[in-house]
Amino acid sequence: MSESPSSSAPLATGRSDGPSVHHRQHSRGQTTHINITAATATAAATHLSEADLSLPTDSPTSANSNHNLVNDRDYFPYQPKSLAGIATRSFCLGIAVTIGVGATGATLLYTSSPLWRLPFFLAALATFHFLEFWTTAAYNTRAADVKSFLLTANWPGYAIAHGFATLECLLTNTFWPNRAWAPFGSGTLLCLLGLALTVIGQVVRSVAMVQAGPSFNHLVQRQRSSAHVLVTSGIYGRFRHPSYFGFFWWALGTQMAMGNVVSFVAYAAVLWKFFSSRIKHEEEFLVKFFGQEYVDYRRRVGTKIPFVP
């Protein structure tokens, strides 16, 4: 006697077919239940996944993510605070300093050539530009970006000036290595003085940036920010614009050390005109920001730049 697949109860025949049918039916029900449970879990997971990917616009998580994404874009390549750009520039400047210092030392130790001045100038330039960024990043962190290296500042005049100085040094020391470029045989003394001024100018400028902190900016500020305070102590108690003083004498010191007569005169004229005009322009805003406090400070502390009171 055969069993009916659709039977819902065991047959009274004394055979064991009944329990088998019941067991298979139970298994079918269990399988159906498992399949329904799996489908429900899959649908729930899909729903949660979609919910995670499409957060409501007023969600705090969504708002923070979007805000962070906007801020992070500044650090992407070719952006103002590009980490790749900063790393590349620092790497190249480090190589330049290493080559400059190594070549200067090797030339002085193993030759009598006056061309040690060229790698010296390379090392001085690379150190200056690296410290411009480093001091900004360390003491005025929010303002630090790729432009803080000042590699393209006042372009192309800045590059032309340094290019001309390099060419003058190369030509004069190659074709006239024994020339008496300084009066009364004072060439060695002036060279040493130039080296000293280069170091002093760099130290004064870097210290000024450190002490001013967030109040220092490479651009003249037309509006006073909340972090902008008048610093009159420390190195600012001796120099009214120590960063300008530092660069002025750093630049002239490099030309004295290199024995560049033409470039020294040109640097002195151009820098004096630039800083005298910039200081006058900047102090108009400083008087506006700090009033009588700055007027008194200006009267009390000089710039130590010739003919710039």
Side-chain angles (χ1 to χ4, degrees):
M1 182 175 177
S2 65
E3 64 181 85
S4 170
S6 61
S7 175
S8 60
L11 298 177
T13 59
R15 296 171 58 184
S16 61
D17 295 338
S20 298
V21 173
H22 178 72
H23 176 72
R24 283 195 293 272
Q25 288 178 338
H26 179 70
S27 298
R28 289 173 183 169
Q30 186 178 27
T31 301
T32 303
H33 174 71
I34 292 173
N35 290 339
I36 292 173
T37 303
T40 303
T42 301
T46 302
H47 175 72
L48 289 174
S49 178
E50 292 177 351
D52 290 341
L53 293 175
S54 58
L55 291 169
T57 56
D58 58 347
S59 166
T61 304
S62 175
N64 290 336
S65 298
N66 292 336
H67 178 70
N68 291 336
L69 180 60
V70 171
N71 289 341
D72 288 347
R73 285 198 183 101
D74 287 344
Y75 299 93
F76 292 172
Y78 311 110
Q79 298 302 311
K81 295 180 179 290
S82 168
L83 295 181
I86 290 170
T88 300
R89 287 163 175 78
S90 298
F91 179 74
C92 292
L93 289 172
I95 292 176
V97 170
T98 302
I99 292 175
V101 172
T104 301
T107 304
L108 288 171
L109 285 174
Y110 301 110
T111 74
S112 59
S113 172
L115 288 176
W116 62 267
R117 294 175 169 90
L118 289 177
F120 154 75
F121 190 42
L122 174 65
L125 275 173
T127 301
F128 168 79
H129 287 290
F130 173 75
L131 288 176
E132 286 298 293
F133 176 82
W134 187 86
T135 50
T136 303
Y139 298 94
N140 191 10
T141 307
R142 293 183 183 277
D145 58 22
V146 172
K147 291 182 179 180
S148 298
F149 286 99
L150 294 189
L151 288 169
T152 57
N154 300 305
W155 189 269
Y158 183 78
I160 293 173
H162 292 329
F164 182 85
T166 301
L167 183 61
E168 181 184 356
C169 181
L170 176 63
L171 293 177
T172 55
N173 288 285
T174 298
F175 295 105
W176 302 283
N178 298 317
R179 80 193 193 287
W181 61 274
F184 310 110
S186 59
T188 301
L189 179 61
L190 290 178
C191 180
L192 293 174
L193 178 60
L195 292 173
L197 285 176
T198 302
V199 174
I200 292 171
Q202 181 65 72
V203 170
V204 170
R205 182 173 175 89
S206 295
V207 170
M209 294 174 66
V210 169
Q211 292 188 354
S215 294
F216 182 89
N217 200 294
H218 284 121
L219 301 175
V220 175
Q221 300 298 289
R222 298 176 178 274
Q223 293 183 343
R224 181 181 178 181
S225 67
S226 58
H228 198 176
V229 298
L230 180 60
V231 182
T232 59
S233 60
I235 201 165
Y236 285 85
R238 294 181 176 271
F239 309 96
R240 194 164 78 246
H241 294 280
S243 63
Y244 299 160
F245 169 93
F247 185 81
F248 181 85
W249 289 110
W250 172 90
L252 295 187
T254 61
Q255 299 314 298
M256 291 175 66
M258 295 170 74
N260 286 345
V261 177
V262 177
S263 293
F264 177 85
V265 175
Y267 271 47
V270 172
L271 289 174
W272 183 87
K273 182 178 180 180
F274 175 79
F275 283 128
S276 61
S277 175
R278 185 182 176 98
I279 287 173
K280 181 179 179 181
H281 176 62
E282 182 175 346
E283 289 189 339
E284 291 177 358
F285 292 102
L286 290 172
V287 171
K288 179 180 177 181
F289 296 161
F290 302 106
Q292 189 62 38
E293 183 182 6
Y294 188 81
V295 173
D296 294 339
Y297 170 66
R298 180 173 59 184
R299 186 183 302 114
R300 187 173 67 254
V301 180
T303 64
K304 307 301 190 294
I305 296 175
F307 309 109
V308 180

